[in-house]
Amino acid sequence: MNGTGKISFSEVFAAELLDRLRWFARLRWLAAAALAIASLLGPRFGWPSVWPNLAIAGAAVAGYNLLAIANIRRRARAELPGPNLRALAIRHMVVDLAALLVVIHFTGGCQSPVLPFLVFHMAIGTIMIATRLMVLLSAATCAGAVGLFLAEANGLLGRYPLDPRLEELGSSCGLNAAVLVVLVFGMVYLTHTVTGRFKQRGIQLH
């Protein structure tokens, strides 16, 4: 309960949030395995840029996930797991999104097939934490993605197109970036519209 005598969002949904963090940890294992496999098999399909870059990213994701799982278990054993649980969820999401941007960089940048996973994370995040925080996180994610695309376009970062023929399609990056921004914020709004009333109802019942 917070200083105003009202039960906070984190306290009401502590058990559910812990379950979702565990679910995210399981997904992270799948992501690490997928990155390792893609890194090994990619060169055989004409994608030389994925080795060893995605293997390193996969190892980093797996290492972080070990720490994340230990943190979740420690929080689950606590007598009151609710306090600061939202901050833990936000840290996990920030690291996941940063890892996604690294993977996007090494799989074609603005042409990357991994871009839709950014939108997927927005939906899951809006379910897990307050929408106003997701709006801020969405803005930071879009800024990071656009900054990445600009750095690649201006030669500040190397370019790693999966298909060399797509390297000449730089003019489409602006359109892809705009579509990404619309989808990211649109997903937050749509998910909030669907789940917001359920969250508020849960708080009222407590």
Side-chain angles (χ1 to χ4, degrees):
M1 188 172 293
N2 58 29
T4 64
K6 297 181 180 179
I7 297 176
S8 69
F9 177 93
S10 296
E11 291 172 317
V12 172
F13 296 102
E16 181 179 348
L17 189 51
L18 277 171
D19 285 340
R20 294 194 181 279
L21 289 173
R22 294 188 187 101
W23 179 67
F24 244 93
R26 290 192 291 270
L27 284 182
R28 220 173 274 123
W29 287 130
L30 293 176
L35 288 172
I37 293 171
S39 185
L40 290 171
L41 299 182
R44 299 185 182 183
F45 292 92
W47 304 335
S49 65
V50 299
W51 172 263
N53 300 313
L54 294 192
I56 295 171
V61 169
Y64 165 71
N65 204 33
L66 288 173
L67 297 176
I69 290 172
N71 217 338
I72 293 169
R73 288 175 176 172
R74 183 168 61 252
R75 196 59 59 89
R77 289 194 297 266
E79 185 176 348
L80 294 173
N84 300 320
L85 190 59
R86 183 175 62 180
L88 177 64
I90 293 172
R91 286 197 298 271
H92 284 197
M93 291 192 64
V94 168
V95 174
D96 288 337
L97 290 168
L100 262 178
L101 288 176
V102 171
V103 173
I104 287 168
H105 172 56
F106 288 115
T107 55
C110 65
Q111 305 287 347
S112 174
V114 182
L115 285 172
F117 286 96
L118 287 177
V119 181
F120 167 77
H121 268 68
M122 295 303 108
I124 300 301
T126 307
I127 294 172
M128 290 174 60
I129 63 177
T131 303
R132 64 181 183 278
L133 295 175
M134 277 308 303
V135 170
L136 295 176
L137 189 55
S138 298
T141 300
C142 290
V146 172
L148 172 64
F149 301 158
L150 288 173
E152 291 175 344
N154 290 285
L156 299 177
L157 291 175
R159 299 180 68 178
Y160 300 91
L162 291 182
D163 186 345
R165 292 171 297 180
L166 296 178
E167 194 169 10
E168 303 301 323
L169 299 179
S171 59
S172 67
C173 276
L175 176 61
N176 289 355
V179 170
L180 178 65
V181 171
V182 170
L183 289 177
V184 163
F185 283 99
M187 182 59 71
V188 171
Y189 174 78
L190 179 63
T191 308
H192 169 71
T193 301
V194 174
T195 65
R197 284 176 292 181
F198 292 102
K199 289 180 181 179
Q200 190 60 38
R201 180 62 174 167
I203 294 173
Q204 291 174 351
L205 290 175
H206 288 75

